[in-house]
Amino acid sequence: MSENEKAARRKKISHVIMWIVLLVLFICFIFPFFLVIINVFKDKADITVDPLSLIGAHGFTLKNFPEAMKKMNFWTVFGNSLIITICATVFTIVLSSMTAFVIVRNGRWKLCTMIFSLMIASMVIPFQVLMVPLVSVYGGILNSRITLILMHVGFSMSMAVFMFHGSIKTNIPLELEEAATIDGCNRWQTYWKVVFPLLKPTVATVGIINAMAFWNDYLLPSLVLKKKNLYTIPIATQAFYGTYSTDIGLIMAALLLAMLPILILYVFLQRYIVEGVTSGAVKG
């Protein structure tokens, strides 16, 4: 066997191993979602007896959905989650992109360098470290959607600024802004008419990452929101966990209802995800 044939054989074997590993990882990640899908259409008894069966002994049922929606006051908590997620995501995108633009275009200023360095450093601080001081200091302004939105924006700014910083620095030539200035645009018009439209992939990436984080977040809303009429979907699922019994079917229905909006958003924006993540990774 020649060296070329041996190299081709080794390459083929490595590809097979890679695909096997990827398949195993895919199964591990998709299995919990598969369990939710097959069990949401079964009653509690069938789930308890055989959670892996496709159809329960009592047949196919849709009763879990209306019961779950009623028990968790779905439309109220859905509206709360939607308002908080949309507002926090929009504010994060707008403020972080503008901040990154100022930092990049004024990179010679020591203040900008210092602010950017502090933002990067803050990314390594776990939220759990700030939990007790957060509640102690701001306890008087809790139980408000506005408070939660502002906290979400504050905690997500560092990562968003980092992503926009790389995208603006490597993908948007300064000559475009100079041409816009010659055409009569001021700084504000240049940003919104020239720079921001070119950040579409990064905007989509930052949007989907933060929207998923805000929508699925349990810890911060549980600290901030104490009134039931302000609950988000993750907090409202507590209603299905009893002291002595738990209705798994209702929990599965609630989880599926909570996942659907984010899945739909991801389907529409998925083509921008990889492009946005890598847009600032390599200097062109």
Side-chain angles (χ1 to χ4, degrees), residues 98 158 172 243 250:
M98 293 172 67
S158 296
I172 301 181
T243 304
L250 297 185

Side-chain angles (χ1 to χ4, degrees), residues 53-74:
S53 63
L54 295 178
I55 300 177
H58 296 87
F60 185 89
T61 180
L62 292 173
K63 68 178 183 179
N64 289 327
F65 288 100
E67 290 182 14
M69 293 175 70
K70 182 179 179 181
K71 191 169 183 179
M72 69 186 298
N73 197 10
F74 177 76

Side-chain angles (χ1 to χ4, degrees), residues 26-27 65 106-107 153 161 167 185 188 200 226 239:
F26 173 77
I27 293 173
F65 288 100
N106 298 281
V153 173
V161 169
S167 182
C185 291
W188 181 260
K200 186 185 294 185
K226 300 300 181 183

Side-chain angles (χ1 to χ4, degrees), residues 67-282:
E67 290 182 14
M69 293 175 70
K70 182 179 179 181
K71 191 169 183 179
M72 69 186 298
N73 197 10
F74 177 76
W75 291 114
T76 298
V77 299
F78 177 82
N80 291 334
S81 291
L82 197 64
I83 292 171
I84 291 168
T85 300
I86 291 176
C87 292
T89 303
V90 170
F91 285 147
T92 299
I93 291 173
V94 173
L95 295 177
S96 61
S97 61
M98 293 172 67
T99 303
F101 176 69
V102 172
I103 292 174
V104 171
R105 294 307 183 223
N106 298 281
R108 295 181 181 179
W109 293 5
K110 291 184 178 180
L111 180 60
C112 288
T113 303
M114 185 184 301
I115 292 174
F116 185 64
S117 300
L118 289 174
M119 283 187 167
I120 300 302
S122 69
M123 291 166 58
V124 304
I125 302 175
F127 171 73
Q128 289 75 7
V129 175
L130 306 174
M131 284 172 51
V132 176
L134 188 70
V135 176
S136 300
V137 175
Y138 298 102
I141 59 172
L142 301 183
N143 276 325
S144 171
R145 283 188 289 259
I146 296 176
T147 302
L148 181 58
I149 290 170
L150 294 177
M151 287 183 177
H152 274 318
V153 173
F155 286 119
S156 61
M157 279 289 289
S158 296
M159 175 62 77
V161 169
F162 174 74
M163 295 183 67
F164 279 115
H165 182 279
S167 182
I168 294 172
K169 189 173 184 178
T170 60
N171 295 328
I172 301 181
L174 185 60
E175 288 78 7
L176 287 176
E177 298 172 34
E178 293 173 348
T181 302
I182 293 173
D183 289 338
C185 291
N186 57 34
R187 195 77 162 173
W188 181 260
Q189 293 172 326
T190 299
Y191 174 74
W192 287 111
K193 294 183 178 181
V194 177
V195 177
F196 191 77
L198 297 175
L199 295 174
K200 186 185 294 185
T202 308
V203 168
T205 304
V206 171
I208 188 66
I209 290 174
N210 285 290
M212 290 176 64
F214 300 152
W215 184 271
N216 295 320
D217 189 23
Y218 174 84
L219 189 54
L220 183 57
S222 67
L223 294 173
V224 176
L225 307 176
K226 300 300 181 183
K227 297 179 181 178
K228 288 188 176 181
N229 63 321
L230 298 177
Y231 279 2
T232 57
I233 289 180
I235 305 177
T237 55
Q238 293 179 107
F240 304 110
Y241 295 93
T243 304
Y244 302 103
S245 64
T246 300
D247 196 328
I248 302 298
L250 297 185
I251 293 175
M252 297 295 180
L255 291 175
L256 187 59
L257 290 170
M259 287 188 292
L260 284 178
I262 290 298
L263 289 176
I264 294 172
L265 179 65
Y266 181 80
V267 167
F268 282 104
L269 298 180
Q270 62 177 331
R271 67 191 183 96
Y272 295 109
I273 299 299
V274 175
E275 183 181 353
V277 171
T278 59
S279 62
V282 180

